[in-house]
């Protein structure tokens, strides 16, 4: 952590960083030491990230499924020096102190702040094939991450297991859930941050002071001690360091950011088409229709029930004519169906792609198609085989694919998965070929399933961005798929939980994440619950309404026109904000910063202001500019306090500035409090019914004056990879008290807009004189709304618009 870790560190920490070493320094690319049967190795893939490996005896194999291969192979020089008996290893951004007598490690930044230090006593213990590491935990430490865990956003005081598990109808305290992401962001009371990533796929754990008051620990049942410490110094730096290490999500197709409708299941082609027709008839903007398992023949992946879906290619064509896309489910369990002309089974048996029992026979477990086989995705050739199964779907124009049940889930055992002794074979570049078991690779199965889908679809349609949705995953899985929080329930508690789950997934690499709007399991949502959930979902990265069989209908239009009108209005607002949201997707693809963020990511000092992160734990941000502040107790009609970081915020609905950093909100069904950062410039477009529909007219630039006034425009074709070779538009915009300035436009993509409608909020200066290149621009002042409005032509080159009161 950033705060000092122990009395000893408080005394000598800064001195070690500032005082000259006792002996002359030398440079190494890694450092290895051994003591009492334990070997440790320290290296740095870049100056602000240190890697620590250890083994009982020899070091473990140097291989990883999670870390990008090029990043893992990099090493920056370490300046080696001595300080007393300790060895000090420095880069330009951090220093590692190693006590050779105990192998105790302390990582500091260049200012001498302790990022992470071993706890007093035995800091690393090997037992029964596994290990536990103990680190000091200061009183002001906060911990975030681990993906979509239930419980509070701040993990301090909790203990968590990382073991991908099918948890139908999980509760707000259930653990483990569907994903294993052993990444933690630590933050102290001064706003300084560090990152910790444990690269280990075995069943593992993190204990943030639940079993020890002044220490946190982490470890696994087996596998390597191999972890990385990221130096920050801010939380956004840590997120970007982790993204550099494990990979940034690829830029999503733009349609994946639109509204999406799904059910388990729309039982016929006519029913599915009817849902799309109703969306269009009711003028509810939408981009995607999903098909769950019942479109298949006997629930067998890669088949179609032609009795109920007689013309799936025709459905794809008709949806396309309505500017909608089709996503279909393709689970990883292949029906055990010999001599039945089931191609995935026949070709899989011929290619020997399925997992086996220890005696060499195929493992067969019951899932949706009945007895099923499971591909061994730890083999590169098996992933290639899997990718070929998508050929027919891709040829007919299916837009995206959904990998569910890939923990992997199996119905009968109480463990909800296959036995741990089921055999996998690792055949992968960068790994030594060997046999292993599910005990090691269970947590990898979902990620490798999604990887096989992504790479297979990309090979079949190399000019189109794949869209893959996965339920289970591991660190690094964001390189291949979006995700969702699994089988939640229709309850206010789960609506609350969705916020912390989604912002935690964003911190953990999965920028494209959603939940089942309205709740998947349980009783149907009340009209108010569904409306509130849609309001929140309009500001989530993935916006999908999905629910299970046996429940009453849960589409936008249920519960009558009054509820539908509110829901439609929030969906429409999302589409008006699409230029801003798609710009966040571009930013994420370049930096790794998530679309949906906890408030502390932009305003780290909220951790110093009382409980629940200064009152912001239930809030979230969409990018850096929008702060959404739902009630903390949805059921209560009482007013609730909203704490905002700093002053000068604007009400998004009215556009008016707030007088203070704190406000009170009376919950009303048609209003979700949304606030705009002072200094934001938000691009908004005319309303469309789909992202495939080209807006007409002008792009609005809503300017909210304040410090650091800036915004950005981004545009491309939304579907291809042309943006990688200049087929995009990117432009920076800034403002100050006297002007609005446009930077030079990058890329060759041509905009749809004919010009800009500028709205400056918080205008109290009466009439204004607006000039572009010396030419007067007509401007209108609305004193009640506190706005100044004027129109500009499209501006592709650097220009300054002067604004005089």
């Amino acid at each position: 952590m950033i705060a000092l870790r122990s009395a000893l560190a408080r005394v000598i920490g800064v001195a070690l960083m500032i005082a000259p070493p006792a002996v002359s320094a030398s440079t190494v690319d890694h450092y290895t030491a051994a003591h009492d049967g334990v070997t440790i190795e320290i290296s740095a893939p870049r100056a602000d990230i240190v890697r620590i490996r250890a083994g009982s005896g020899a070091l473990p194999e140097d291989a990883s499924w999670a870390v990008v291969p090029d990043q893992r192979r990099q090493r920056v020089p370490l300046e080696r020096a001595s300080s007393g008996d300790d060895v000090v290893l420095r880069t330009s951004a951090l220093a590692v102190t190693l006590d050779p007598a105990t192998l105790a490690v302390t990582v500091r930044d260049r200012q001498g702040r302790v990022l992470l230090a071993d706890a007093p006593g035995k800091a690393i213990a090997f037992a029964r094939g596994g290990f536990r590491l103990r680190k000091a935990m200061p009183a002001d430490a906060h911990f975030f991450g681990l993906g979509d865990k239930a419980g509070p956003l701040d993990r301090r005081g909790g203990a968590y297991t990382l073991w991908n598990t099918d948890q139908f109808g999980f509760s707000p305290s259930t653990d483990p859930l569907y994903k294993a992401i052993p990444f933690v962001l630590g933050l102290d009371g001064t706003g300084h941050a560090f990152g910790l990533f444990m690269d280990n796929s075995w069943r593992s754990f993190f204990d943030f002071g639940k079993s020890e008051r002044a220490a946190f620990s982490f470890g696994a049942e087996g596998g390597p001690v191999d972890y990385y410490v990221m130096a920050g110094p801010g939380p956004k730096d840590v997120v970007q360091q982790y993204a550099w290490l494990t990979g940034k999500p690829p830029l999503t197709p733009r349609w994946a950011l639109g509204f999406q409708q799904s059910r388990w299941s729309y039982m016929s082609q006519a029913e599915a088409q009817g849902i799309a027709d109703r969306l269009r008839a009711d003028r509810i903007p939408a981009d995607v229709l999903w098909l769950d398992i019942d479109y298949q023949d006997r629930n067998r992946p890669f088949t179609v029930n032609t009795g109920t879906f007689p013309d799936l290619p025709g459905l794809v064509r008709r949806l396309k004519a309505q500017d909608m896309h089709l996503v279909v489910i393709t689970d990883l369990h292949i029906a055990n169906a010999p001599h039945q002309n089931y191609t995935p089974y026949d070709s899989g048996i011929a290619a020997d792609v399925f997992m086996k029992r220890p005696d060499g026979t195929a493992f067969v477990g019951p899932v949706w198609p009945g007895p099923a086989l499971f591909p061994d995705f730890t083999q590169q050739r098996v992933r290639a085989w899997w990718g070929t199964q998508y050929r027919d779907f891709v040829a007919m124009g299916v837009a995206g694919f959904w990998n569910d049940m890939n923990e992997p889930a199996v119905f009968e055992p109480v463990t909800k998965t296959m036995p741990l002794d089921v055999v996998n074979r690792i055949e992968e570049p960068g790994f030594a070929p060997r046999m292993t078991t599910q005990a090691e690779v269970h947590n990898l199965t979902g990620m490798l399933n999604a990887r096989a889908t992504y790479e297979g679809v990309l090979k079949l349609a190399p000019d189109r961005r794949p869209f893959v949705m996965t339920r289970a995953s591991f660190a690094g899985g964001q390189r291949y798929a979006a995700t969702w929080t699994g089988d939640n329930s229709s309850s206010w508690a789960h609506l609350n939980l969705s916020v912390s789950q989604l912002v935690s997934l964003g911190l953990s690499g999965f920028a494209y994440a959603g939940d089942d709007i309205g709740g998947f399991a349980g009783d149907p949502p009340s009209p108010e619950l569904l409306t509130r959930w849609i309001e929140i979902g309009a500001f989530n990265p993935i916006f999908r309404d999905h629910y299970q069989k046996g429940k009453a209908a849960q589409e936008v239009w249920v519960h009558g026109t009054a509820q539908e009108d509110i829901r439609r209005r929030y969906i429409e607002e999302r589409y008006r904000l699409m230029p801003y949201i798609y710009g966040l997707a571009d930013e994420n693809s370049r930096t790794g910063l998530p679309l949906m963020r906890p408030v502390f990511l932009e305003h780290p000092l909220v951790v110093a202001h009382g409980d629940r992160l200064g009152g912001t734990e239930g809030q979230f941000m969409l990018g850096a500019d929008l702060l959404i502040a739902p009630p903390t107790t949805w059921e209560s009609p009482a007013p609730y306090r909203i704490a905002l970081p700093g002053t000068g915020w604007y009400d998004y609905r009215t556009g008016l500035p707030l007088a203070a950093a704190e406000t009170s909100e009376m919950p009303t069904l048609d209003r979700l409090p949304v606030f705009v950062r002072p200094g934001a410039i938000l691009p908004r477009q005319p309303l469309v019914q789909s992202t495939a529909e080209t807006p007409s007219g002008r792009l609005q630039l809503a300017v909210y004056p304040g410090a650091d006034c800036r915004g950005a425009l981004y545009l491309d074709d939304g579907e291809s990879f042309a943006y990688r070779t200049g087929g995009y538009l990117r432009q920076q915009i800034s403002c100050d008290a006297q002007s609005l300035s446009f930077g030079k436009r990058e890329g060759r993509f041509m905009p749809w807009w004919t010009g800009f409608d500028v709205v400056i909020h918080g205008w109290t200066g009466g009439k204004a004189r607006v000039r572009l290149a010396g030419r007067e621009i007509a401007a209108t002042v609305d004193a009640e709304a506190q706005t100044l409005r004027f129109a500009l032509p499209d501006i592709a080159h650097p220009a300054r618009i002067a604004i005089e009161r």
Side-chain angles (χ1 to χ4, degrees):
M1 271 300 284
I2 301 299
L4 296 179
R5 289 304 190 265
S6 65
L8 179 61
R10 293 178 190 277
V11 173
I12 68 170
V14 176
L16 279 174
M17 299 303 300
I18 299 174
V23 298
S24 60
S26 61
T27 298
V28 296
D29 78 338
H30 70 285
Y31 181 81
T32 304
H35 173 74
D36 197 21
V38 174
T39 302
I40 190 169
E41 179 190 82
I42 299 170
S43 61
R46 70 182 213 182
D48 53 359
I49 302 175
V50 63
R51 182 186 185 191
I52 301 171
R53 302 169 64 220
S56 180
L59 290 170
E61 178 187 8
D62 188 359
S64 176
W65 297 98
V67 176
V68 177
D70 286 347
Q71 269 66 311
R72 189 174 56 80
R73 286 190 290 264
Q74 290 188 36
R75 286 183 175 178
V76 300
L78 295 169
E79 180 186 309
R80 175 188 170 185
S82 298
S83 180
D85 294 331
D86 292 338
V87 175
V88 181
L89 305 164
R90 292 187 178 91
T91 72
S92 60
L94 53 79
V96 182
T97 303
L98 175 69
D99 181 348
T102 63
L103 300 188
V105 173
T106 301
V107 184
R108 297 179 175 86
D109 66 15
R110 290 298 284 185
Q111 286 69 49
R113 297 188 186 94
V114 174
L115 300 171
L116 193 67
D118 286 342
K122 195 170 183 64
I124 180 169
F126 293 92
R128 298 184 296 279
F131 63 89
R132 175 186 290 265
L133 291 93
R134 297 173 57 254
K135 302 293 181 181
M137 187 177 70
D140 64 345
H142 301 265
F143 300 95
F144 309 92
L146 301 183
D148 57 342
K149 290 294 187 184
L153 180 62
D154 188 348
R155 308 299 184 199
R156 185 182 178 114
Y160 303 88
T161 299
L162 280 69
W163 185 250
N164 292 354
T165 305
D166 179 4
Q167 293 283 20
F168 173 81
F170 61 91
S171 79
S173 60
T174 299
D175 187 69
L177 293 176
Y178 303 94
K179 284 168 277 292
I181 306 177
F183 167 70
V184 174
L185 187 153
L187 188 62
D188 74 5
T190 67
H192 290 92
F194 81 99
L196 170 66
F197 169 54
M198 179 178 68
D199 194 358
N200 183 298
S201 64
W202 291 66
R203 184 184 180 98
S204 55
F205 67 89
F206 281 79
D207 183 330
F208 300 104
K210 187 167 187 176
S211 58
E212 286 190 80
R213 180 173 301 175
F216 77 94
S217 58
F218 57 97
E221 291 183 350
V225 176
D226 188 354
Y227 67 99
Y228 297 79
V229 182
M230 286 142 261
K236 290 176 77 170
D237 301 305
V238 170
V239 170
Q240 292 179 88
Q241 289 154 358
Y242 176 72
W244 177 86
L245 197 64
T246 62
K248 307 175 190 71
L251 182 60
T252 189
R254 187 166 54 235
W255 57 260
L257 298 171
F259 178 66
Q260 311 181 28
Q261 185 60 57
S262 180
R263 183 181 187 178
W264 173 42
S265 289
Y266 295 125
M267 298 300 293
S268 69
Q269 183 166 335
E271 183 184 9
Q273 183 64 61
I275 296 296
D277 293 343
R278 180 68 184 269
L279 287 164
R280 290 293 179 248
D282 284 16
R283 303 290 293 173
I284 299 168
D287 270 81
V288 189
L289 184 71
W290 293 62
L291 295 183
D292 211 321
I293 58 175
D294 292 287
Y295 83 93
Q296 301 169 132
D297 176 19
R298 292 164 286 177
N299 295 333
R300 295 180 176 186
F302 303 107
T303 66
V304 177
N305 182 344
T306 55
T308 53
F309 286 81
D311 184 13
L312 190 63
L315 176 62
V316 173
R317 289 193 299 271
R318 283 189 286 275
L319 290 175
K320 185 176 181 181
Q322 295 174 297
D323 286 338
M324 291 189 69
H325 299 78
L326 185 68
V327 174
V328 303
I329 201 166
T330 53
D331 289 341
L332 78 169
H333 39 249
I334 300 299
N336 187 25
H339 314 300
Q340 298 179 38
N341 295 318
Y342 177 40
T343 299
Y345 172 86
D346 293 339
S347 65
I349 289 293
D352 188 24
V353 302
F354 299 116
M355 297 186 204
K356 294 180 170 59
R357 292 187 178 275
D359 64 4
T361 61
F363 170 77
V364 180
V367 207
W368 296 119
L373 303 164
F374 298 79
D376 184 359
F377 293 114
T378 54
Q379 300 179 58
Q380 187 180 48
R381 67 177 186 87
V382 174
R383 297 199 302 274
W385 165 84
W386 176 264
T388 65
Q389 306 306 308
Y390 290 93
R391 183 175 291 108
D392 292 345
F393 285 148
V394 169
M396 71 177 70
V398 173
F401 300 98
W402 178 13
N403 295 151
D404 197 0
M405 304 292 289
N406 54 359
E407 289 72 32
V410 179
F411 284 162
E412 285 183 355
V414 68
T415 62
K416 305 180 183 180
T417 192
M418 59 186 62
L420 296 186
D421 63 357
V422 167
V423 176
N424 295 79
R425 178 171 181 80
I426 294 177
E427 290 183 357
E428 174 74 8
F431 287 78
R434 59 184 173 88
M435 307 302 290
T436 188
T437 67
Q438 277 286 292
E440 177 181 0
V441 303
H442 167 93
N443 280 341
L444 298 169
T445 301
M447 179 181 78
L448 295 178
N449 174 209
R451 177 179 176 179
T453 303
Y454 180 90
E455 292 175 345
V457 171
L458 180 61
K459 185 174 182 180
L460 291 167
D463 296 325
R464 191 174 73 190
R465 303 174 209 171
F467 177 79
V468 180
M469 174 69 81
T470 185
R471 188 168 76 177
S473 198
F474 186 69
Q478 69 272 7
R479 304 198 297 266
Y480 314 112
T483 192
W484 88 108
T485 61
D487 295 339
N488 62 357
S489 297
S490 297
S491 69
W492 294 104
H494 271 264
L495 175 55
N496 269 334
L497 180 61
S498 72
V499 171
S500 62
Q501 285 187 299
L502 295 180
V503 297
S504 182
L505 279 166
L507 290 176
S508 306
F510 283 87
Y512 300 114
D515 65 337
D516 286 344
I517 299 294
F520 177 77
D523 295 328
S526 68
E528 294 78 12
L529 176 58
L530 181 57
T531 296
R532 286 296 199 186
W533 217 317
I534 288 173
E535 291 173 1
I536 291 287
F539 299 94
N540 293 167
I542 299 293
F543 187 18
R544 182 183 74 153
D545 181 336
H546 178 58
Y547 63 106
Q548 73 167 140
K549 285 181 177 180
K551 293 178 67 174
Q554 193 167 300
E555 285 76 20
V556 179
W557 49 82
V558 303
H559 305 134
T561 57
Q563 298 287 347
E564 182 183 10
D565 288 347
I566 298 171
R567 297 164 187 169
R568 181 191 298 107
R569 180 160 59 84
Y570 276 85
I571 296 170
E572 289 175 345
E573 197 56 43
R574 181 183 182 90
Y575 278 77
R576 290 190 176 96
L577 275 170
M578 194 59 67
Y580 174 68
I581 296 171
Y582 195 49
L584 297 178
D586 167 59
E587 179 187 45
N588 171 256
S589 72
R590 293 181 290 108
T591 68
L593 291 172
L595 285 69
M596 184 173 172
R597 307 172 183 180
V599 176
F600 75 75
L601 196 66
E602 294 293 336
H603 305 277
L605 287 178
V606 299
V607 300
H609 299 292
D611 294 337
R612 296 187 62 253
L613 306 182
T616 69
E617 185 164 296
Q619 303 172 5
F620 66 93
M621 300 192 71
L622 184 61
D625 293 337
L626 293 178
L627 188 152
I628 295 86
T632 54
T633 52
W634 292 91
E635 306 92 324
S636 172
Y640 66 98
R641 168 182 170 270
I642 297 175
L644 297 170
T647 58
W649 291 79
Y650 293 78
D651 185 306
Y652 180 71
R653 182 176 63 89
T654 66
L656 296 173
L658 301 180
E662 183 175 314
T663 185
S664 180
E665 184 76 23
M666 176 67 75
T668 56
L669 186 60
D670 65 344
R671 173 167 161 78
L672 174 67
V674 179
F675 304 96
V676 187
R677 176 184 70 87
I681 301 176
L682 292 179
R684 299 172 78 248
Q685 67 184 24
L687 181 61
V688 293
Q689 293 298 301
S690 162
T691 61
E693 179 184 342
T694 301
S696 59
R698 310 169 76 82
L699 181 72
Q700 184 190 89
L701 297 177
V703 181
Y704 301 84
D708 191 21
C709 185
R710 55 185 165 79
L713 304 179
Y714 180 79
L715 191 63
D716 60 29
D717 64 25
E719 195 158 293
S720 80
F721 291 99
Y723 70 91
R724 293 178 175 175
T725 55
Y728 66 90
L729 179 158
R730 187 180 295 119
Q731 189 172 21
Q732 304 299 317
I733 308 172
S734 61
C735 78
D736 57 33
Q738 291 84 35
S739 66
L740 180 69
S741 297
F742 289 76
K744 182 180 180 180
R745 189 169 288 172
E746 302 173 24
R748 63 174 182 271
F749 194 80
M750 299 301 295
W752 55 261
W753 56 80
T754 57
F756 301 106
D757 283 330
V758 179
V759 182
I760 298 179
H761 292 274
W763 184 266
T764 57
K767 292 184 178 180
R769 185 182 184 191
V770 180
R771 289 177 297 154
L772 171 61
R775 180 170 59 89
E776 194 92 12
I777 302 291
T780 303
V781 172
D782 185 327
E784 183 177 356
Q786 296 184 22
T787 58
L788 171 68
R789 295 176 179 265
F790 53 89
L792 296 173
D794 185 37
I795 299 174
H797 300 285
R800 181 180 182 273
I801 293 85
I803 305 170
E804 299 175 2
R805 297 179 184 273

